[in-house]
Amino acid sequence: MITNGIERYPKSIAMDQLAPLLSQISLSARVFFSGELCQMANFDDSELAGHLHLVKSGKVSVRMRGEEIALIDRPSVLFFPRPCNHALVPQDQKGFELLCASIDLGVKVRSPLAMALPEFLALPTDDVGPMAPTLDLLFGEAFGRAFGRQAALDRLVEYFLIQMLRHVIGNGILKGGIFAALADQRLARSVNAMHDRPAHPWTLDELADISGMSRARFAVNFRETVGMTPLDYLTDWRMSVAQNLIKQGRPIKSVAMAVGYQSQAALTRVFSKRIGRSPTDWVRETTTSN
């Protein structure tokens, strides 16, 4: 397909896979603790934020809903992408050193970035490769006294999050969901196309053609990998984009056109079914909660 002399699909296929996902949220992080802990620390979901814990040294038990889910005995990244009640419990008298940050990956707009990740992810820092220099910078800032420390820490954590997402996608660490699809060279083409052009009237045949598969093979592969049909994923993606645009103050009629619906009424029907309330009610509740 040629648009204004530019080959559309080859550029879509080669595009930055994370760019559309990141463009639909205001990625943010706030470091709220760095130091040594000698007693249990509890973290709740009251902020509607996820958490990132970087364990620098020591041995710690990770508990969720009262059950131990991991025993960490070497420097590690502990990642809770969505709000989650959990606790970190030191396993010896020396305690453990860590850095803690609250993070926002777009939970309120049900971004695939937040919703498709597992509830908890642990990565030993020995295995994170290119992220190691950023970890060194983070710990240097966290345990130092330089001017602008808080701002530097927050920006570094945001950059670290992007590096971590690159790592889990590129290394196929996630076995299902949209990130597994992005790690699949063929499925990534159709996913990137949907992300890049949510307003386009995509059909199953067209998406299969972009992925270089038959219609039946594409439908089966997509569902087995992502856990839903391609068109169901497209609808969820459109709703996430719509929520972000509505939060920005865009008129609902304009939002409808931007995500592939010909009228405000058509968007409202799908939005209400998927989100559980109308766009007007949703933005009112979101504004009130903020």
Side-chain angles (χ1 to χ4, degrees), residues 149-183:
R149 173 177 173 273
Q150 183 67 54
L153 281 171
D154 295 345
R155 299 295 83 75
L156 282 168
V157 169
E158 290 173 4
Y159 177 52
F160 181 81
L161 283 170
I162 293 171
Q163 287 186 303
M164 184 167 60
L165 291 168
R166 289 175 184 165
H167 179 76
V168 297
I169 293 172
N171 290 280
I173 291 173
L174 305 178
K175 302 303 181 184
I178 196 60
F179 296 107
L182 287 172

Side-chain angles (χ1 to χ4, degrees), residues 9 29 32 74 93 115 120 141 190 194 215-216 272 287:
Y9 289 136
F32 60 87
R74 55 177 168 157
Q93 293 182 344
M115 307 312 295
F120 169 67
E141 289 286 349
S190 57
M194 286 187 277
R215 185 179 189 272
S272 299
T287 303

Side-chain angles (χ1 to χ4, degrees), residues 242-250 252 271 275 277-290:
Q243 286 173 291
N244 186 59
L245 294 174
I246 292 168
K247 276 185 67 178
Q248 293 174 15
R250 288 270 297 272
I252 295 175
F271 192 101
I275 310 302
R277 55 190 67 82
S278 70
T280 303
D281 289 341
W282 177 82
V283 75
R284 185 186 301 119
E285 291 175 14
T286 302
T287 303
T288 302
S289 64
N290 288 340

Side-chain angles (χ1 to χ4, degrees), residues 12 15-25 111-113 182 191-198 237 240-241 244:
S12 294
M15 70 182 290
D16 178 351
Q17 294 176 339
L18 282 175
L21 295 171
L22 291 170
S23 71
Q24 298 307 321
I25 64 170
S111 165
L113 203 57
L182 287 172
V191 172
N192 285 333
M194 286 187 277
H195 286 171
D196 191 32
R197 302 175 65 204
W237 172 242
S240 180
V241 174
N244 186 59

Side-chain angles (χ1 to χ4, degrees), residues 83-152:
C84 177
N85 290 310
H86 61 283
L88 303 181
V89 186
Q91 296 299 292
D92 56 47
Q93 293 182 344
K94 294 185 297 183
F96 59 101
E97 288 184 297
L98 83 162
L99 179 150
C100 300
S102 57
I103 60 161
D104 182 2
L105 290 177
V107 170
K108 290 182 180 179
V109 297
R110 296 186 62 81
S111 165
L113 203 57
M115 307 312 295
L117 287 163
E119 190 172 34
F120 169 67
L121 187 64
L123 299 171
T125 57
D126 289 346
D127 301 335
V128 297
M131 290 185 273
T134 309
L135 279 172
D136 291 340
L137 287 171
L138 273 165
F139 287 132
E141 289 286 349
F143 294 96
R145 293 286 185 270
F147 297 139
R149 173 177 173 273
Q150 183 67 54

